[in-house]
Amino acid sequence: MHSDDPEDHYPLYPLGMLRRHGLIDAQNLAERLPDWTEEQLRAAFWPAYRAIRETEADLERMSGIDGGERVISLNGLPIFVSEDSWSFQVLAGPELMDRLVAALTQAREARAD
């Protein structure tokens, strides 16, 4: 996507994407689960995502050689996922983040049993 919005270009990127989808003040998954490592979050996120998915649609995507960012409508609510070789970040509003955290926690507890 070509954009003249400064927030769509380094060093402000991805602020434009977050702003367009109402995620500027969204919750960060890593902050909600501070005892999880980034590697644990990365490994467990997509299975938890699929566990709560009822509907899904790509809203916006920016890809690079090593990964990228996307905003997805999950069950009608936006979620931002940034995934590349160096980092993993998930941002969402409280309602969706609560469901994700519950699914991740439940999966972790089931593995511990």
Side-chain angles (χ1 to χ4, degrees):
M1 169 184 106
H2 175 73
S3 170
D4 293 325
D5 184 338
E7 291 182 339
D8 286 331
H9 302 281
Y10 182 82
L12 299 177
Y13 177 79
L15 288 176
M17 184 183 282
L18 296 173
R19 181 180 33 77
R20 281 189 292 280
H21 299 285
L23 294 170
I24 290 291
D25 295 319
Q27 296 180 5
N28 186 320
L29 182 60
E31 292 173 3
R32 289 285 306 267
L33 296 170
D35 60 322
W36 291 51
T37 67
E38 186 174 296
E39 292 78 23
Q40 290 171 323
L41 288 172
R42 186 187 297 260
F45 172 74
W46 290 109
Y49 174 97
R50 287 189 293 275
I52 66 167
R53 179 182 61 204
E54 297 163 10
T55 63
E56 169 187 64
D58 270 333
L59 299 176
E60 190 170 346
R61 178 187 297 247
M62 294 293 285
S63 297
I65 294 172
D66 296 321
E69 290 77 30
R70 61 197 280 204
V71 177
I72 307 162
S73 174
L74 176 62
N75 305 336
L77 299 169
I79 182 170
F80 171 83
V81 180
S82 177
E83 187 171 21
D84 61 31
S85 301
W86 301 280
S87 66
F88 181 75
Q89 182 181 37
V90 175
L91 304 173
E95 179 182 346
L96 186 51
M97 189 61 75
D98 288 347
R99 289 192 66 194
L100 275 170
V101 168
L104 286 159
T105 303
Q106 182 179 8
R108 181 184 240 189
E109 290 169 356
R111 284 191 309 272
D113 290 341

